[in-house]
Amino acid sequence: MATPDTETSDFDSVERIKAGSRGLRGKLAEGLRDEVTGAILPGDTALLKFHGVYQQDDRDARNDRQHRKLEPAYQFMVRLRMPGGVCSPAQWLALDELVQRYASASLRTTTRQTFQLHGVLKRDLKQTIQGINEALFTTLATCGDINRNVICHPNPALSRVHASAHGLAERLSTELLPRTRAYHELWLDDECVTPLPEPEPLYGATYLPRKFKIAIAIPPSNDVDVFAHCLGFIAVTENDRLAALNISVGGGMGMTHGDGTTFPRLGQVIGSCAPEQALDVAKQVIAIQRDFGNRVNRRRSRFKYTIEDRGLKWFVTELESRLGWSLNQALPFTFTSRGDLTGWATGDDGRRHLTIRVPSGRIADHGATRLLTGFREIARIHTGDFRITPNQNVIIANIEPRRTEEIEDLAATHGLLATRRQSALRHQALSCVSFPTCGLAMAESERAMPKLLGRLEPVLQAAGLNEQSIDLRVTGCPNGCARPYLGEIALVGKGPDSYKVFLGGSALGDRLASFYQDNVSLDGAVTLLEPLLHEYAATRFESEPFGDWALRQGHASGEPPRGA
Ligand code: SRM
Ligand code: SF4
């Protein structure tokens, strides 16, 4: 059940809060000073998100504290902006120190290529955010009704094109930030500038109706799930350089159980542009959403519904008239893969990169698997960088040849390579955070994954599918933070140990999964999937992915899901 004042609460009040916030200031400064409560002032939680911070409470402790008439165990989640997921060893070490001092001694990589810190107390928020800024990161606008972290294919082995795509991700990310100085005043002790509020030329006083997301894909990999994004750029490469970008619009995942007017939607390619035109395109797309997005019903306020309701033709005409030039024709592109290849890779320039599988993105120390310590030790000697992938994994990138063995040894000693021996399904599986921190969680996700995978792996083994890559995604609610409707198999939480099962998304992220069965427990999911996996093993065509097979065999209807 959602806590009050989440993003799905009364839309009108969020619009009024933004309009009256004096450039996202509200009464945040007062709320942060108040030592009587661990929370901030109730009207300010929506504003706090624009600063990259979510007020949460420990949901494991909620009932007990309620029983003891204590206020919820308030704590904060802090999300970083990290375009393209690049992080230096010095930055890694700074974040590591912050999570040990102020947070839950874990770093959480996200499906949007950045880090979240969980469990920060109000009294430590300012020091935490200052520490993040000292490490040359920001948390500004990583949440809220605004453009979020821009993601792109992280593989440095693709050198020149990747570098251009990463440069574009950084540029988009920076140029689309809000102009308010509220963040600097509140967290970094900058002086208050007058007159307030500062003009927001792109966003205006009420910002966007809802969050906005951009991804850049570099074919043949669709690891960013480009069609899940409000705006997607798909790189077109010529002679090892970024020559053009196809433009996809109107993608998004979230829906609401029981509300058939809400649904996940795939982005559609509307044309192409030159790389230097991408920023202009992004600004005008955002401006259209600012002006035409639904500001009455927050459940239908994402950009995908603006496209769905007004039509693609209307949108392209509006975009071209604002740009003052016409889009070029879409250019051919092909995706042949998704997900990350773990293990060693060598770039064109001979540099080496080690991709580490991070189960559910949780970098913590648990028993023999000491990911937090292992990455810390590696960061101490590594001279290249780290890349967070859009699948919650980490690439130790650009490793100096003389460090290769040492880094591999450290990785092995701390259990970072343990997943190498496990199934291909486990390697690709994604799950969202869910309990105990997510205020919107309905069922377990991250914490359920080890049990689910542990039960599924013997089934895969028996069916001879251990090496078969199958895209499994689990989320604790229908919001879709692990992009489940693009999974070949997806479990979407709807209540304690109760999930909706979806089947038949394409392995390349260009077809949505269809609803398969309701009210399935985790054990029930294994029972449900066992005969399907055996049937798949027996009747698939050569190289036929599970999602395509499920569609061909009629196990997936091919109907895109709706919230009902
Ligand atoms: Fe998400 C809300 C976690 C990627 C769709 N998401 C949340 C919140 C902040 C819950 C809340 O509003 O109170 C979750 C915090 C949990 C926690 O305790 O940390 C949360 N989302 C995440 C992360 C950490 C999942 C993960 O395990 O990696 C991802 C952080 C991304 C980042 O770094 O910025 C994350 N969320 C996504 C994605 C995937 C993506 O962007 O590629 C989606 C689906 C794509 C999309 O946006 O359509 C996604 N999150 C949502 C939604 C549904 C929005 C909608 O259209 O209805 C919500 C709820 C909302 O906004 O009201 C949500
Ligand atoms: Fe929370 Fe997971 Fe739902 Fe996202 S999908 S809002 S992380 S339970």
Side-chain angles (χ1 to χ4, degrees), residues 3 6-8 49 54-56 77 79-80 108-118 142-143 148-149 151 210-211 213 224-225 228-230 251-256 298-299 302 304-305 360 362 390 392 431-434 436-441 446 477-484:
T3 48
T6 62
E7 279 197 283
T8 44
K49 294 177 188 178
Y54 277 77
Q55 179 171 298
Q56 302 183 319
M77 178 270 275
R79 186 182 283 167
L80 274 70
R108 178 58 157 75
T109 58
T110 75
T111 51
R112 294 199 67 71
Q113 249 183 337
T114 188
F115 284 121
Q116 285 186 179
L117 281 54
H118 287 104
T142 52
C143 320
R148 306 284 185 94
N149 193 41
I151 69 172
R210 213 61 159 78
K211 60 177 80 167
K213 297 183 174 177
V224 295
D225 274 333
H229 286 76
C230 303
M253 290 284 101
M255 61 176 173
T256 307
R298 201 162 167 79
R299 280 185 179 172
R302 293 294 299 276
K304 63 183 174 183
Y305 299 115
S360 296
R362 185 64 68 181
Q392 303 170 331
S431 63
C432 72
V433 179
S434 196
T437 53
C438 179
L440 306 179
E446 181 181 322
C477 85
N479 283 320
C481 297
R483 302 185 286 265

Side-chain angles (χ1 to χ4, degrees), residues 4 54 120 128 139 163 182 222 226 278 287 295 312 342 357 364 376 386 409 419 431 439 459 491 495-496 515:
Y54 277 77
V120 181
T128 305
T139 66
N222 186 20
V226 70
R295 288 186 188 259
L312 208 55
T342 49
R357 168 81 187 134
R376 181 189 316 130
F386 295 93
D409 279 355
T419 55
S431 63
V459 176
L491 270 61
F515 168 70

Side-chain angles (χ1 to χ4, degrees), residues 133 199 277 324 400 433:
N133 276 265
Q277 293 172 315
E400 258 185 289
V433 179

Side-chain angles (χ1 to χ4, degrees), residues 31 34 41 153 285 316:
D34 184 352
L41 293 171
H153 181 62
V285 173
V316 174

Side-chain angles (χ1 to χ4, degrees), residues 28-109:
L28 283 168
E30 290 93 310
L32 287 168
R33 274 195 303 269
D34 184 352
E35 289 176 10
V36 174
T37 165
I40 56 160
L41 293 171
D44 281 343
T45 50
L47 294 181
L48 190 64
K49 294 177 188 178
F50 284 82
H51 296 253
V53 183
Y54 277 77
Q55 179 171 298
Q56 302 183 319
D57 69 293
D58 179 349
R59 295 190 60 183
D60 286 346
R62 202 184 265 181
N63 287 345
D64 178 54
R65 289 183 70 92
Q66 208 169 12
H67 188 64
R68 293 195 286 136
K69 305 211 168 358
L70 295 170
E71 78 169 11
Y74 289 117
Q75 54 182 36
F76 295 82
M77 178 270 275
V78 179
R79 186 182 283 167
L80 274 70
R81 179 171 282 267
M82 201 182 272
V86 180
C87 173
S88 73
Q91 288 175 314
W92 189 294
L93 289 172
L95 296 176
D96 176 81
E97 204 180 314
L98 285 173
V99 296
Q100 291 187 72
R101 188 178 302 177
Y102 300 125
S104 59
S106 82
L107 276 166
R108 178 58 157 75
T109 58

Side-chain angles (χ1 to χ4, degrees), residues 549-563:
W549 169 85
L551 192 65
R552 180 172 63 78
Q553 290 290 89
H555 296 303
S557 68
E559 280 288 305
R562 289 188 90 89

